[in-house]
Amino acid sequence: MGQRMKERLEKAEQLKQAIIESAYKLFLARGYEKVTLSDIERLSGATRGGLLYHYRSKDEVLLATAERYAADFLCDAGPSEESLNSQTPLKAYLVEYARRIASKTSYFREVVVKDSDITPASSLNFMIHVSALCPPFKYRLQEYASAQARYGVEIVNRAKERGEVRPELDTERLVGTFIHIFAGILFFSALTHQTMPLDKLQNEWEMFYQTVAVK
């Protein structure tokens, strides 16, 4: 490949990424319906021809932003070996989960939407919107939720085996409570356009843990 061709490809890829990054910020700030292709062009520095070369419509731009940003959020490897092998796997997993959320929140704030007033909770509204418009993405959200439930069941069962959690408690209900605490706080922060309150989440999970742990 010649140097000139290589430079052209690199510029095309840079433009493609600028379009996606700009569109994502606009979708978060204004909502999908209120964003136009002209808005995306102005923020990204693309011409109409350059934008349409990569994406034929605003819907295609939306799908691309979902794959780039929302799908990254949904990539979750589950509990670490350290949590699984801990003598207190549930406690270790709660700490690990909180750290993971803090890391993603920090990345969102400091890299994705740096120097803007967009909150991480805006991504929840974005994912809800994408799932309504794009059935394949809705299935990915469902798969993510199912995976989180499976991880939780595995952790709670190990916690019961090691005497950390009261054995008479229903495993699936415990997992549901753990997930709903997170979902409830995330949903409330989205409604109020605030940053995810990690301290509140940790406090709620600590209360949950004290309730279910063997005394």
Side-chain angles (χ1 to χ4, degrees), residues 2-4 10 33 45 50 61 71 84 93-94 123 127 134 136-137 141 149 166 169-170 177 180 213-214:
Q3 182 63 29
R4 184 172 297 179
E10 287 177 350
E33 292 88 352
V61 177
L84 291 171
Y93 185 55
L94 291 175
S123 62
M127 285 193 286
C134 313
F137 192 78
L141 286 173
R166 289 153 47 199
L169 298 177
D170 182 88
T177 300
H180 292 153
V214 172

Side-chain angles (χ1 to χ4, degrees), residues 22 26 30 36-48 51:
S22 300
L26 289 168
R30 302 182 191 174
T36 66
L37 289 179
S38 296
D39 294 330
I40 298 171
E41 290 164 14
R42 280 193 293 271
L43 188 58
S44 67
T47 63
R48 179 61 57 94
L51 191 155

Side-chain angles (χ1 to χ4, degrees), residues 195-210:
T195 299
M196 178 74 173
L198 297 175
D199 54 344
K200 180 174 178 58
L201 177 65
Q202 290 173 322
N203 289 338
E204 293 291 334
W205 274 348
E206 179 61 27
M207 289 181 61
F208 164 74
Y209 182 79
Q210 294 301 325

